[in-house]
Amino acid sequence: MKLTTGGESHGRALSGIIEGLPSNMKIDLGKIDESLALRQGGYGRGERQKIEKDKITILSGVRGGLTLGSPLSFIIENKDYENWEKYMSPEGPLEDGRRVTAVRPGHADLTGLKKFGHSDARNVLERASARETAIRVAAGAVAAQYLAPLGVEVYGRVVSVGGVDDDGKYSYSDFGRVKINRLFMIDEKKSEEAIKLIDGAKAAGDTLGGVIEIRVRGLKPGFGSCMQYDKKLDARLSGALMSVQAIKGVEFGLGFEAARLPGSAVHDEIFYDGGRFYRKTNNAGGIEGGMSNGEEIVIRLAMKPIPTLMKGLSTVDYETKKEMRAAGERSDVCAVCAAEVIAESVTAFTVADVVSERVGGDTYPEVLRRYEDLEN
């Protein structure tokens, strides 16, 4: 299963093509749009989310609500394009009022100008923008519909914002109220504390990052492989999640904490009862030897603060070489909630890809039968 994305932040539309879906799989557009709306929500988001009302438009690969087995192509229109057409039109000529030469710290601007030979950083930042993730959320919602009938579910929460930590130990049932909370935290007191911190950062023209937890429930053992380094499930998930803008760290299970403990306190002991193997702990985070072991997959992600600060940071003009302040574009103060939705989507797509590789199947009923036949 492969996803190709295209489009600029303020261009006409974002586009995506999913290859490798089986035929006769039901597609619920409403669920995709629900995921897109969640990505635009959460406390601390910027003004653009009031302009864009993301909805998917499928162009090919689906007929009568069922996949055809051909590439599924789709777009998400940028409503803000009407305000940017004179600066972003593919046809031209273009007006000059949106050029960016004061390269912004923490962005792709400076390196992108050098790499691609541009003189206007807008040619770089429009594609490097996290707006691109709307397509990945839509694709992830399709992948979630591939996984759900198999009994596989991806879900998550915000663990921390700006150092305000919700370190509670939660079970699956606790996650049901996450998306109702303004900050996708489970502990409401911690959420309110973090919201006050976001308000303070906004008043100061600053931004905040945080920590996200993603879980995969119901995946059978044996997905991924120990036989080749690039087939390991944790390696593939890490690579996919690190491709999300602003994600700077990924850990599974105990993660970095495992480096501080003796082996006897880290490795999950194995037991057998009632015809099945089981573990009493899940310090490995559901992956051993690069393969799913049947336990919940538990991933935590570190998200840096958004690098577009309204107060601006010190920089240099690419053309004049003069010192100046980087301009602040309309941006978020804290996008940790959006990142949580994106991370869920990226995880779902990666897991669906790994499942598809192992079970194959030209039709979705074949996929269901082959997955059911796998050992638990």
Side-chain angles (χ1 to χ4, degrees), residues 23 34 42 73 100 146 159 197 202 250 257-258 283 292 321 351:
S23 67
E34 286 175 10
S73 63
V100 176
Y146 175 95
V159 173
L197 201 64
K202 182 177 182 179
V250 179
E257 182 62 22
N283 295 331
S292 60
K321 310 302 186 291
V351 171

Side-chain angles (χ1 to χ4, degrees), residues 222-290:
F223 287 93
S225 178
C226 61
M227 298 303 182
Q228 287 290 348
Y229 66 91
D230 60 341
K231 297 297 183 182
K232 293 183 177 182
L233 180 58
D234 43 358
R236 293 176 69 168
L237 284 166
S238 297
L241 290 164
M242 284 295 292
S243 75
V244 176
Q245 291 86 337
I247 299 301
K248 303 300 287 185
V250 179
E251 66 177 17
F252 293 82
L254 283 181
F256 282 94
E257 182 62 22
R260 302 182 179 95
L261 300 172
S264 58
V266 171
H267 302 294
D268 304 305
E269 295 181 306
I270 299 171
F271 302 88
Y272 185 83
D273 185 50
R276 61 180 289 269
F277 295 96
Y278 69 97
R279 298 160 181 82
K280 294 180 180 178
T281 58
N282 188 22
N283 295 331
I287 299 177
E288 292 176 306

Side-chain angles (χ1 to χ4, degrees), residues 141-203:
V142 172
Q145 293 179 45
Y146 175 95
L147 294 171
L150 307 180
V152 181
E153 182 182 4
V154 181
Y155 61 101
R157 67 181 177 113
V158 170
V159 173
S160 173
V161 173
V164 176
D165 302 324
D166 177 2
D167 283 330
K169 304 298 181 183
Y170 299 110
S171 64
Y172 174 74
S173 60
D174 295 316
F175 282 74
R177 62 182 185 274
V178 165
K179 297 300 191 296
I180 300 172
N181 188 300
R182 290 189 292 172
L183 208 48
F184 295 0
M185 280 178 148
I186 293 177
D187 187 317
E188 294 184 6
K189 289 183 178 179
K190 291 290 186 180
S191 177
E192 291 304 315
E193 187 179 341
I195 284 171
K196 290 178 182 178
L197 201 64
I198 292 170
D199 290 342
K202 182 177 182 179

Side-chain angles (χ1 to χ4, degrees), residues 296-323:
E296 270 195 340
I297 295 173
V298 182
I299 314 168
R300 286 198 175 191
L301 316 174
M303 178 190 183
K304 72 177 183 180
I306 296 293
T308 303
L309 277 65
M310 292 309 296
K311 67 179 181 181
L313 293 171
S314 297
T315 189
V316 175
D317 187 279
Y318 190 70
E319 292 182 337
T320 67
K321 310 302 186 291
K322 292 182 178 179
E323 294 183 5

